[in-house]
Structure formats: C-alpha cells, structure tokens
Amino acid sequence: MFDRMRKYADRFRGTGGSEPPERRKRRAHNLFEAAAAYVAARAEDDQDRIEEAAGCVSPEALSFGVSELACRAVVALAREREESPRTVARDLLGLPVA
C-alpha cells in the first residue's frame, strides 16, 4: 500500500508552487474524506479511484487518515461483536488468537 502511495507522490515531488491550480485545489480536500475514498477504492480494487484519492492529500496525511479509519473501524466492530479491539484486529488479519 505505502509503496503505491510513495510512487504516486514521487511523480509530483519538486513541483512546489508550480502545481496547476486544479491540483492545488484537489490537495485541499479533507484528509478523512481522502482516506475513506482510498480505503473504499482499495476494497473495490478500483485503481483509478485509488490514485485519485491518493492525490488529494499528502502521503503522510493519507497514511494518518487510513490509520485513524482503521482504528475507528476496529473499535466499532469490537463493540458490535462484544469483543476486545485486539481480538477483532487479529481476526481481521487472520492471526491466531493471542
């Protein structure tokens, strides 16, 4: 996941203030909106939407947003299942119960 984001971001390094206005506008999006779009696109294996979402915010911001989304999803699922977040996270990743 991070390799793909890094490769995508590398295409735009060094552009600084010379980015076209439409790109600057896209980067102004909310990082949580970008993270939600990115994760949904990954789940649906939609490469075009993955790249679009990854281009809306910096790779660092996207990583933070995806991490926050994962935490919130695990907590919500743990409450729903009445299990600990650790148990749910390990189950989602297919890891044995510790």
Side-chain angles (χ1 to χ4, degrees), residues 10-85:
D10 283 345
R11 289 192 275 172
F12 302 106
R13 288 187 201 262
T15 58
S18 64
E19 284 185 320
E22 61 274 2
R23 177 152 322 275
R24 285 194 302 266
K25 184 178 179 183
R26 281 198 304 164
R27 286 191 181 273
H29 285 150
N30 181 304
L31 72 97
F32 295 116
E33 289 175 1
Y38 181 82
V39 170
R42 288 288 311 259
E44 296 168 357
D45 199 27
D46 185 336
Q47 189 61 39
D48 292 336
R49 285 181 35 225
I50 290 170
E51 290 178 9
E52 182 180 344
C56 290
V57 296
S58 72
E60 295 83 9
L62 183 61
S63 177
F64 173 78
V66 169
S67 177
E68 185 65 23
L69 177 60
C71 290
R72 292 179 187 196
V74 167
V75 167
L77 194 53
R79 286 180 183 154
E80 185 179 297
R81 292 183 180 182
E82 297 181 0
E83 297 177 346
S84 74

